[in-house]
């Protein structure tokens, strides 16, 4: 696993290396939520994600960090960890998925409208956001993708996620450097 070093130029034109640091030292989990919320395209390279909710209360009174929708109308349940992933991360994500799976379009629309503060309907905004043609009908929440984003994803979480993917669950782990 090779790492590419990153450099910046100082005011004298000299290159100096960026120093990697622990995100949790200077930031809270809410800071990571805001970072992803405003820049999803940098976390999800080849697919655009429409964020529709943040800190969504589930029926079990737990909170989903972020929820998104892809161009096909599939939901994304996003769990963020600003440092290492504790063992219970996957259990948390599965609990959230069991809540999200039951949401119909009107409930997703309500989550989106509460989040955005706009009157526009989710279906209409989704069409604009993904530049779909009006006759392209999207079926919302047919499938859910589960995403763990952390600065350091433990080998236990990676192995368990790989096992679940092998069993047909759309679960992904994304590490970020800061």
């Amino acid at each position: 696993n090779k790492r590419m070093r990153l450099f910046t130029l100082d005011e004298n034109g000299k290159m100096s290396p960026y120093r990697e640091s622990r995100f949790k030292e200077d930031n809270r989990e809410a800071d990571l939520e805001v970072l992803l919320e405003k820049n999803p395209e940098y976390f999800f390279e080849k697919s655009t994600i429409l964020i529709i909710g943040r800190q969504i209360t589930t029926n079990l009174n737990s909170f989903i960090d972020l929820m998104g929708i892809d161009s096909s109308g599939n939901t994304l349940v996003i769990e963020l960890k600003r440092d290492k992933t504790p063992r219970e991360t996957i259990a948390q994500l599965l609990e959230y998925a069991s809540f999200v799976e039951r949401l119909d379009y009107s409930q997703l629309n309500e989550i989106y409208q509460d989040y955005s503060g706009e009157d526009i309907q989710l279906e209409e905004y989704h069409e604009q956001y993904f530049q779909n043609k009006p006759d392209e009908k999207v079926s919302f929440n047919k499938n859910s993708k589960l995403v763990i984003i952390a600065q350091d994803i433990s080998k236990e979480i990676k192995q368990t996620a790989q096992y679940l993917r092998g069993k047909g669950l759309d679960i992904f782990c994304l590490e970020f450097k800061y």
Side-chain angles (χ1 to χ4, degrees):
N1 193 3
K2 291 189 174 194
R3 294 180 120 161
M4 180 174 58
R5 292 179 64 196
L6 296 177
F7 293 87
T8 186
L9 292 175
D10 67 17
E11 60 278 353
N12 300 320
K14 293 284 289 170
M15 289 177 65
S16 62
Y18 273 112
R19 183 180 58 81
E20 189 177 315
S21 62
R22 301 303 302 171
F23 188 83
K24 78 171 195 168
E25 288 173 12
D26 302 316
N27 300 279
R28 297 167 303 138
E29 198 163 288
D31 298 323
L32 183 55
E33 286 174 16
V34 170
L35 186 65
L36 194 145
E37 184 179 31
K38 295 186 183 301
N39 305 282
E41 66 278 11
Y42 293 103
F43 287 83
F44 303 101
E45 280 179 49
K46 294 188 178 163
S47 60
T48 306
I49 304 301
L50 167 60
I51 301 296
I52 66 162
R54 179 176 170 198
Q55 288 298 310
I56 300 156
T57 307
T58 71
N59 60 325
L60 299 172
N61 284 323
S62 52
F63 299 92
I64 299 171
D65 290 339
L66 289 171
M67 188 189 306
I69 292 188
D70 68 13
S71 60
S72 302
N74 298 315
T75 51
L76 273 90
V77 180
I78 304 167
E79 178 60 20
L80 304 170
K81 299 293 182 197
R82 63 189 175 132
D83 191 33
K84 294 182 180 179
T85 48
R87 290 180 69 114
E88 65 270 9
T89 304
I90 287 190
Q92 256 183 300
L93 203 51
L94 293 173
E95 177 191 311
Y96 301 157
S98 71
F99 165 76
V100 170
E101 179 185 53
R102 298 181 178 150
L103 299 176
D104 61 20
Y105 171 77
S106 66
Q107 291 166 307
L108 289 174
N109 187 48
E110 191 177 319
I111 288 168
Y112 167 71
Q113 289 189 327
D114 286 349
Y115 170 74
S116 69
E118 303 288 332
D119 283 336
I120 188 170
Q121 300 294 302
L122 173 59
E123 189 172 33
E124 190 181 337
Y125 188 71
H126 183 274
E127 186 180 297
Q128 291 172 14
Y129 187 84
F130 289 105
Q131 299 175 344
N132 295 339
K133 294 176 181 62
D135 59 342
E136 280 182 66
K137 282 293 169 209
V138 170
S139 184
F140 287 93
N141 206 16
K142 276 187 113 173
N143 190 24
S144 286
K145 296 176 183 176
L146 312 178
V147 183
I148 300 166
I149 299 177
Q151 186 159 10
D152 186 8
I153 296 178
S154 70
K155 62 182 189 275
E156 295 85 359
I157 296 292
K158 287 177 186 174
Q159 180 176 307
T160 307
Q162 285 175 333
Y163 169 78
L164 292 170
R165 277 185 63 79
K167 295 295 180 185
L169 197 63
D170 277 341
I171 183 167
F172 304 90
C173 298
L174 298 173
E175 281 185 329
F176 68 93
K177 299 298 172 209
Y178 178 73

